[in-house]
Amino acid sequence: MLRLRPRLGTYQFRPPHRNSQFLDRFSRPCARLPFSMSTSDRTPETGHYDTSHSIAVRRFHRTHGMLPPAVENQDVQLSRCLQQLSRREKSIDKYIYLSGLRNTNVHLFYRLVTKHMTDIAPLIYTPTVGDACLQWSHNYVQPEGLYLSYSDKGHIASILNNWPQHVEITVVTDGSRILGLGDLGINGMGIPVGKLALYIGCAGIRPEATLPLMLDLGTGNKELRDDPLYMGSRREKVSAQEELEFMDEVMIALNEKWPGIVVQFEDFKNPFPALERYQQKYTCFNDDIQGTGAVVLAGIINAVKKSGVPAKGQRAVFMGAGSAGVGVAKQIVQFFVQEGLTERQARECFWLVDTKGLVTDDRGDNLAEHKKYFSRNDNAGKQYKTLAEVVDHVKPTILMGLSTIGGVFTPEILTKMGGWNKRPIIFPLSNPSANSECTFEDAVKYTDGTALFASGSPFPSVVHDGKTLQPGQGTFNKA
């Protein structure tokens, strides 16, 4: 594994310290525990109950006799895990099994993840994590991560001192907009847990250097507050000002305890204030605005090249004008500027649609601040109230979905995209899968196989005209 150490806002990787002499002494079959070491005050940790440990290592960890006598190799362990997974039919049951494995044998869990990433990733994050969050309080078995409640205000630093490890990166959410599922309160803890599991498995960050962090600031979800099994505070969501004051204390406490800690904001309903407030002072970023935007931008750069239409000829309709939608669009604006457009010309390539229709200056409602950048003023007083109307008006080359409205890219819209464009760019990025704006199969079918496609959730391959087409997965996006 590799260590992740933030330094001056960047990541520095270095190999972990290895005491080879110590390992050699306790891996030999006849090794004995040195009598100079006291064992009376040592308590086995969960990671010590590993059936691949030699007898000597078991003696050292005081687990000898507490495990079956066979010393197994790692391949046998993985085979058993895969067999146990295969016996569980529902993805949520597989998720619960894997959570238990992570908490009882972290090394075996990440061996499984790294060796079978394609199969395991959808079970520990999207799309399965959506169901896990919905059922979090009902399926709760053991503690994972750290919870900071608004009632803890004034005592955040002392609570952080309860965390036993040195932390280098934390993923923090208030649960107010989880995936496309809305306000789930503390049930959103599955997101920080799952996202950090991916970072550990993919980037080699040490598990003990990570902290899943949930801010319990109340919830506007009355159904949750009335649920007798809900494990969060039963209060309305605090005000925006109260949240910022609480966040100030959290950010100060985190950086005083773990200087230079990387803070990733995730799934906040309004992520802009925190990012603008802290990004110049602390090592932090917002995944929904910056992470999603960066990943989608990589896909758009390649798609624009393959489409044969230069940046100045692109017309992008975005279904969804939330933080993720605006963040993605702003990243693409920067790309178009690099391609030779002025910022104004680049911004005018975008039409954003929300629940009320096309975002315009004269729509008559009070636009959220983050929407104003892309608000149109060239609609000649006409209001386009549906995605279908906007699509007919714009005839887009790019159709981007960040709305969490499943199937909103209808067969009619997809067919028109295929008729107007030689290679239409279609990115339904919402997840979980049920909230995706269209499926890969529909995109292929209704554009006659011409779509340049990437989605937020995984879809199976499709056979078209005798060829097997593979979908691109643009991002683990939250709309």
Side-chain angles (χ1 to χ4, degrees):
M1 302 290 278
L2 300 173
R3 291 190 181 187
L4 171 64
R5 293 191 176 276
R7 178 175 294 179
L8 298 179
T10 62
Y11 292 147
Q12 179 188 24
F13 289 90
R14 71 180 189 179
H17 170 72
R18 294 185 182 277
N19 189 332
S20 57
Q21 184 179 7
F22 174 87
L23 292 176
D24 288 344
R25 293 180 67 188
F26 293 103
S27 60
R28 292 194 296 265
C30 296
R32 293 175 178 271
L33 195 66
F35 288 105
S36 60
M37 298 181 66
S38 172
T39 62
S40 60
D41 58 350
R42 285 190 294 102
T43 302
E45 299 177 3
T46 55
H48 295 163
Y49 295 94
D50 191 323
T51 58
S52 69
H53 286 170
S54 67
I55 299 301
V57 172
R58 298 182 190 191
R59 286 172 178 162
F60 175 71
H61 287 316
R62 302 186 70 183
T63 59
H64 189 202
M66 301 174 74
L67 292 167
V71 176
E72 298 182 316
N73 63 45
Q74 295 175 2
D75 290 337
V76 171
Q77 289 182 311
L78 293 177
S79 177
R80 179 182 295 111
C81 289
L82 292 173
Q83 185 183 91
Q84 292 172 345
L85 270 177
S86 68
R87 291 204 298 264
R88 291 162 169 81
E89 294 184 2
K90 296 181 179 179
S91 294
I92 186 63
D93 293 332
K94 295 181 180 184
Y95 176 94
I96 293 171
Y97 165 77
L98 290 168
S99 295
L101 181 63
R102 183 176 60 249
N103 284 283
T104 56
N105 195 333
V106 65
H107 307 299
L108 176 56
F109 172 78
Y110 284 110
R111 282 198 295 271
L112 181 67
V113 170
T114 55
K115 287 183 177 294
H116 301 275
M117 178 63 71
T118 302
D119 296 326
I120 301 299
L123 297 175
I124 60 176
Y125 203 62
T126 54
T128 308
V129 72
D131 289 335
C133 288
L134 288 171
Q135 303 176 40
W136 190 265
S137 291
H138 287 245
N139 290 338
Y140 183 86
V141 175
Q142 56 204 346
E144 293 188 85
L146 191 67
Y147 296 82
L148 297 176
S149 183
Y150 189 74
S151 61
D152 300 322
K153 192 171 183 290
H155 308 283
I156 299 300
S158 63
I159 295 174
L160 291 181
N161 286 332
N162 292 333
W163 192 257
Q165 282 94 23
H166 176 80
V167 177
E168 298 179 5
I169 181 171
T170 180
V171 174
V172 55
T173 184
D174 66 350
S176 57
R177 180 167 288 178
I178 296 298
L179 301 174
L181 304 172
D183 184 351
L184 298 187
I186 64 96
N187 287 350
M189 177 58 101
I191 296 299
V193 169
K195 185 60 69 76
L196 286 169
L198 289 180
Y199 290 172
I200 295 164
C202 297
I205 302 171
R206 293 177 299 112
E208 64 270 22
T210 67
L211 172 62
L213 183 57
M214 167 58 67
L215 306 182
D216 179 19
L217 303 178
T219 174
N221 189 332
K222 186 177 184 301
E223 184 178 345
L224 284 180
R225 298 198 306 270
D226 293 341
D227 183 350
L229 295 183
Y230 178 61
M231 303 183 76
S233 60
R234 300 175 189 278
R235 60 169 297 161
E236 287 276 1
K237 183 72 185 294
V238 301
S239 69
Q241 182 59 38
E242 289 173 322
E243 181 170 352
L244 276 180
E245 293 172 359
F246 185 82
M247 286 294 299
D248 284 345
E249 183 180 351
V250 170
M251 294 299 289
I252 291 170
L254 282 171
N255 281 272
E256 285 183 348
K257 181 168 180 61
W258 300 298
I261 182 175
V262 177
V263 180
Q264 174 180 326
F265 300 114
E266 187 86 22
D267 285 1
F268 284 75
K269 184 176 182 179
N270 184 7
F272 294 97
L275 183 62
E276 294 168 358
R277 193 177 183 92
Y278 305 122
Q279 64 182 346
Q280 301 301 324
K281 188 174 182 180
Y282 302 113
T283 307
C284 63
F285 70 100
N286 183 282
D287 188 53
D288 303 303
I289 299 173
Q290 297 163 298
T292 296
V295 175
V296 175
L297 175 60
I300 284 293
I301 290 173
N302 286 320
V304 167
K305 290 178 181 177
K306 290 186 176 181
S307 72
V309 179
K312 64 181 180 181
Q314 295 290 344
R315 300 178 303 280
V317 168
F318 275 54
M319 183 59 195
S323 59
V326 172
V328 168
K330 284 186 174 181
Q331 296 270 22
I332 301 173
V333 164
Q334 294 176 13
F335 165 57
F336 284 180
V337 170
Q338 291 181 354
E339 292 293 293
L341 278 65
T342 66
E343 183 179 355
R344 179 178 178 179
Q345 290 171 332
R347 187 174 70 246
E348 289 177 349
C349 293
F350 293 82
W351 288 258
L352 269 59
V353 182
D354 62 14
T355 55
K356 297 179 181 179
L358 180 65
V359 176
T360 63
D361 290 350
D362 59 354
R363 196 168 67 176
D365 59 330
N366 186 21
L367 288 179
E369 192 64 33
H370 67 275
K371 297 181 183 182
K372 293 180 180 179
Y373 181 80
F374 289 104
S375 181
R376 307 290 304 196
N377 60 9
D378 57 353
N379 55 314
K382 183 176 181 180
Q383 304 304 321
Y384 300 88
K385 297 184 178 181
T386 67
L387 175 63
E389 291 178 1
V390 175
V391 166
D392 286 341
H393 170 62
V394 176
K395 295 180 172 56
T397 59
I398 299 172
L399 189 58
M400 192 80 67
L402 301 106
S403 66
T404 71
I405 303 175
V408 71
F409 294 173
T410 62
E412 293 77 17
I413 289 176
L414 294 172
T415 300
K416 290 176 180 178
M417 287 292 294
W420 292 325
N421 303 283
K422 183 178 179 181
R423 298 301 306 274
I425 300 171
I426 299 173
F427 281 22
L429 297 173
S430 295
N431 65 32
S433 302
N435 291 345
S436 182
E437 287 76 10
C438 73
T439 65
F440 180 50
E441 182 179 9
D442 281 350
V444 171
K445 178 180 178 181
Y446 294 109
T447 65
D448 197 24
T450 63
L452 296 167
F453 179 95
S455 61
S457 290
F459 285 105
S461 59
V462 172
V463 176
H464 178 76
D465 284 346
K467 296 181 179 179
T468 300
L469 304 180
Q470 300 291 341
Q473 188 170 349
T475 173
F476 292 109
N477 170 69
K478 280 74 57 189

